[in-house]
Amino acid sequence: MDGSTHATWVEVDLDAITGNVAAVLRELRRGRGGAAPAVMAVVKADGYGHGAVPVARAALAGGASWLGVARAQEALELREAGLRAPVLLLGHVPADSITELVAAGVSLTAWSAGQAAAIGCAAGRAGAAGAGPARVHLKVDTGMGRIGCRPDEALDLARTVAEADGVELEGLFTHLACADTPDRGATGDQLTAFAGVVTQLASAGLRPPLVHAANSAGTFTVAVRPGHPEGGYDLVRFGIAMYGLSPGAQVPLPRDITSALAWKSVLAQVKQVPPGRGISYGHTYTTTRSERIGTVPVGYADGWRRGAANEVLVGGRRVPVVGRVCMDQCMVNLDAVPQARVGDEVVLVGDQAAAGGGGQRISADDVAQRWGTIGYEVVCGIGRRVPRRYTTADRR
Ligand SMILES: *Cc1c(COP(=O)(O)O)cnc(C)c1O
């Protein structure tokens, strides 16, 4: 792809998203003897930086039947784009947007009686305006310490929701805190507490149609494993692994999951710099010999972190970023690739072939390791001004 029209850009392979959803469905069917739970494609934070709307479409094409978001605006953006699939707002529901969300057919999360009442009022207004029922998923905190009611509050809340006019108790869910760690103790405790709530609601005739617990890590460590089908329940909330990234160093992804995102730039300038010259702000790097220095138009305003050791691919080789990353640019040492020229592609995340064969790959997880963080933060942090380009087999 010709990169000359932009300084830095992201390429998203939508076929990878579609394929990753299809792959997890296959894996779930295998683990559960044929009957797979539904897959909710989690597209919050603009699809983890990949672009929520195109990712949502690609995920639905792969067999996902739900979409999950974290903000009211994210849910409405999907509706404005014409996506009609069920959408669950997984977290905080701003009081003043409930009516609009209900009218847009967005399912809401609730964990307190106050919220249930507010949703009930909004349902009345939406119903009067001809909208369907307000759909609620009750969130139980079984050990994440984040949002959710206590397990012993769930039954009363479920009753409140189920009895409110124009409100439907559609789901019951919890979130696993430690599904990406090898220690199954905490996850087991959470699933046991959650199973207790499910049983209690069922005995009261209130088991909602959609019970769910697993995120990506839970999907691979619990939901697909024979003997642990309870982790899958009726639906899995599939986020990071849909983008082809691992939920944690301890959770190997199935081989047919592939990463969807590449982050690229170009060499804006290449020059020979004599020994003893400082490079970039503060001169934290000084050339020790005559060095070929390239300038790359990507900086911390694009999400390319300043305070970290960085490397990129040029000519299919790894080359180091030298000196401080600026807001819009950074410099690289090109001594390993003497053939590099202005206009050549620079890969920050992704694959690059070498001229004589072979090549290298830098994954978002590799970048995360250098930055002391997780792949989630790398892809979510790619700036808004970095254009996203989409590829599918149709257009290739
Ligand atoms: C973000 C989120 C997910 C997806 O998590 P991944 O680790 O990306 O799979 C699932 N459930 C909830 C409640 C979330 O907030």
Side-chain angles (χ1 to χ4, degrees):
M1 190 172 289
D2 175 18
S4 60
T5 55
H6 291 290
T8 179
W9 68 98
V10 155
E11 291 172 10
V12 180
D13 177 357
L14 293 174
D15 295 334
I17 303 274
T18 302
N20 291 342
V21 173
V24 82
L25 274 164
R26 277 198 303 276
E27 194 85 3
L28 285 162
R29 275 189 209 108
R30 234 195 327 268
R32 306 233 308 199
V39 171
M40 172 186 290
V42 181
V43 296
K44 60 192 180 186
D46 199 23
Y48 292 42
H50 295 60
V53 169
V55 165
R57 290 210 171 95
L60 294 168
S65 46
W66 273 81
L67 302 170
V69 296
R71 300 279 186 262
Q73 202 45 52
E74 293 173 346
L76 297 172
E77 183 197 343
L78 296 173
R79 287 287 182 255
E80 279 153 23
L83 287 157
R84 302 261 59 95
V87 174
L88 175 61
L89 175 48
L90 292 159
H92 176 64
V93 184
D96 60 2
S97 58
I98 298 177
T99 307
E100 192 179 1
L101 289 164
V102 170
V106 174
S107 299
L108 305 177
T109 296
W111 56 89
S112 75
Q115 283 176 307
I119 293 170
C121 290
R125 284 191 296 275
R135 298 184 193 89
V136 170
H137 291 227
L138 194 60
K139 178 79 184 283
V140 188
D141 178 12
T142 57
M144 174 76 181
R146 205 164 68 175
I147 56 168
C149 67
R150 291 196 314 266
D152 63 291
E153 296 169 324
L155 182 58
D156 275 352
L157 265 173
R159 282 212 176 95
T160 307
V161 171
E163 286 164 9
D165 273 347
V167 184
E168 186 184 312
L169 180 62
E170 182 179 51
L172 173 73
F173 74 115
T174 195
H175 193 55
L176 302 173
C178 303
D180 63 328
T181 63
D183 171 16
R184 292 275 163 272
T187 302
D189 290 349
Q190 283 198 262
L191 289 173
T192 303
F194 188 56
V197 174
V198 177
T199 307
Q200 204 187 13
L201 264 63
S203 317
L206 290 171
R207 195 227 191 256
L210 291 173
V211 173
H212 45 115
N215 51 4
S216 295
T219 298
F220 293 121
T221 57
V222 187
V224 302
R225 293 228 322 250
H228 295 271
E230 74 279 6
Y233 284 108
D234 307 306
L235 177 146
V236 298
R237 303 187 304 272
F238 196 48
I240 195 76
M242 176 174 72
Y243 303 95
L245 299 174
S246 174
Q250 319 264 19
V251 186
L253 291 173
R255 216 170 309 148
D256 43 3
I257 297 266
T258 54
S259 72
L261 180 144
W263 186 5
K264 298 184 177 178
S265 185
V266 287
L267 288 173
Q269 191 188 18
V270 176
K271 60 188 151 199
Q272 202 67 35
V273 177
R277 295 286 170 86
I279 302 288
S280 194
Y281 290 120
H283 284 180
T284 56
Y285 181 85
T286 306
T287 54
T288 54
R289 52 191 186 280
S290 174
E291 296 181 29
R292 262 167 78 73
I293 298 292
T295 301
V296 184
V298 60
Y300 59 78
D302 301 300
W304 187 236
R305 284 211 196 154
R306 175 178 183 273
N310 283 307
E311 56 181 15
V312 298
L313 304 179
V314 178
R317 304 278 300 267
R318 282 171 192 268
V319 302
V321 172
V322 294
R324 286 202 178 125
V325 172
C326 311
M327 187 182 293
D328 319 297
Q329 308 179 66
C330 68
M331 275 61 82
V332 293
N333 175 299
L334 296 171
D335 287 346
V337 277
Q339 76 283 10
R341 295 287 175 270
V342 166
D344 283 2
E345 178 190 79
V346 175
V347 171
L348 290 78
V349 173
D351 300 294
Q352 195 181 50
Q360 288 277 337
R361 161 177 184 71
I362 296 176
S363 69
D365 290 326
D366 295 334
V367 175
Q369 203 156 29
R370 290 201 305 262
W371 292 358
T373 182
I374 51 177
Y376 296 73
E377 202 184 354
V378 174
V379 289
C380 288
I382 300 175
R384 287 176 64 102
R385 75 177 183 183
V386 181
R388 272 66 169 171
R389 295 175 170 182
Y390 296 95
T391 59
T392 68
D394 300 342
R395 266 181 268 148
R396 239 177 252 142

